[in-house]
Amino acid sequence: MPLVTNLIDDKSPLIHYDSTWLPGNSWDDPDADQYYLSTFTTNNVTNGQASFSFNGTGVWVYGAKRLNHALYYSVQLDDITFGPYNGVPPYNEFMQPIFNDSGFAQEMHTLTLTNQGEEGTYVDIDLIVWQSEVGNANQQLITETVQDTDLRFQYQKSAWSSNPSDANFYSNGTGHYTVVEGATVTSTFTVGDTILVTLFGATGTSNGPYSVPLDGGEATQYNDTAFLPFYGVTLFHADNLGSGQHELTLTNTPSVTGQQLSIDYALVSTLSK
């Protein structure tokens, strides 16, 4: 089977951090530029947790191993606990796989990382990579970029703007955003074998919570608030969808008035016949 590798940065809302996690930044950490895209999310609270759900057969969590890091952290993958691991190296190391496992069944899995160190000692997340098996050995993956202006994006009338002030940072220089609570955008893809759908957008201080149901299923809640604006961030991902029509609906569910949801583009992948 073709093996698809997926990557999300630490700023993706697909990673759920509890309230004890904070963004790393360059003004109080001179080594911030050693991380992937110069961003990382960090925790120095005992039992602080971050979780991530994915459909795949292998997963790699990358972070740093630094002298101020926790002596112990653990990872739970579904109902199996791994560790504790030692997060303190003889010297600082960046973009290191702090956990990986593979060879498990192609289905939904949930990974939870827990800081088990003493209060004030750190663990961080830089990026997460996972792999999925799709299709048959003789098939190839064909990927199409679907811009926000494509008719396959149906925006709720009068609730969305197509002129974000920072449009030059979006793919192809175009984007849509809404500040209206409950505003929706629906993406419909009808092809022979839709295997992967990944939706990208912007995060930032003015962004907030949103929900996503796929094909009319139960909605998953996300939050794309960030301490700085970031672009081309993965807002949603689904794979092994199968043939037929698939419908993805995003709803702006702000926690305070004025928070926005920003849409950039989607990647839609199909399998060759």
Side-chain angles (χ1 to χ4, degrees):
M1 285 186 173
L3 197 61
V4 177
T5 299
N6 308 285
L7 183 154
I8 54 172
D9 192 27
D10 66 290
K11 293 296 177 285
S12 172
L14 273 61
I15 306 172
H16 295 268
Y17 301 99
D18 71 21
S19 61
T20 63
W21 290 74
L22 294 171
N25 56 75
S26 58
W27 53 83
D28 66 2
D29 190 335
D31 290 323
D33 62 353
Q34 299 299 306
Y35 290 84
Y36 177 73
L37 299 180
S38 298
T39 70
F40 63 105
T41 303
T42 186
N43 178 277
N44 67 350
V45 177
T46 304
N47 294 323
Q49 292 188 327
S51 61
F52 168 67
S53 295
F54 64 99
N55 187 352
T57 62
V59 64
W60 291 257
V61 180
Y62 286 80
K65 294 182 178 181
R66 305 178 65 174
L67 299 179
N68 64 346
H69 275 207
L71 184 59
Y72 297 116
Y73 65 91
S74 65
V75 173
Q76 181 170 332
L77 183 59
D78 299 329
D79 57 354
I80 301 175
T81 299
F82 297 84
Y85 297 104
N86 187 341
V88 181
Y91 51 88
N92 290 342
E93 300 173 324
F94 297 92
M95 289 196 289
Q96 297 296 306
I98 61 173
F99 174 80
N100 71 274
D101 192 27
S102 60
F104 41 82
Q106 176 68 52
E107 59 187 19
M108 290 300 301
H109 302 278
T110 297
L111 180 152
T112 302
L113 184 149
T114 303
N115 183 356
Q116 294 187 322
E118 295 181 359
E119 204 78 9
T121 58
Y122 289 85
V123 64
D124 62 44
I125 293 177
D126 191 357
L127 66 145
I128 296 179
V129 174
W130 74 102
Q131 290 184 327
S132 301
E133 293 180 349
V134 297
N136 300 313
N138 60 343
Q139 292 180 298
Q140 292 184 333
L141 206 62
I142 302 169
T143 300
E144 176 190 8
T145 300
V146 181
Q147 293 292 343
D148 64 292
T149 52
D150 192 283
L151 292 179
R152 282 170 284 185
F153 283 102
Q154 293 295 309
Y155 300 92
Q156 184 178 344
K157 291 183 179 179
S158 74
W160 291 80
S161 170
S162 59
N163 295 297
S165 60
D166 50 357
N168 55 309
F169 292 104
Y170 286 70
S171 171
N172 209 40
T174 65
H176 277 74
Y177 76 95
T178 182
V179 296
V180 177
E181 182 174 1
T184 61
V185 54
T186 299
S187 303
T188 303
F189 306 100
T190 307
V191 291
D193 282 304
T194 302
I195 295 299
L196 305 172
V197 174
T198 307
L199 182 67
F200 297 86
T203 65
T205 56
S206 59
N207 292 83
Y210 61 98
S211 65
V212 188
L214 176 65
D215 293 338
E218 183 178 353
T220 303
Q221 305 296 321
Y222 301 100
N223 190 335
D224 61 354
T225 304
F227 77 108
L228 288 172
F230 296 96
Y231 302 91
V233 178
T234 301
L235 301 185
F236 181 80
H237 175 87
D239 54 35
N240 279 279
L241 297 178
S243 61
Q245 177 173 292
H246 298 284
E247 186 174 274
L248 182 67
T249 300
L250 279 78
T251 303
N252 189 31
T253 59
S255 56
V256 296
T257 301
Q259 286 183 319
Q260 68 184 42
L261 174 61
S262 307
I263 304 298
D264 193 351
Y265 67 98
L267 294 180
V268 179
S269 297
T270 61
L271 287 168
S272 62
K273 298 300 184 181

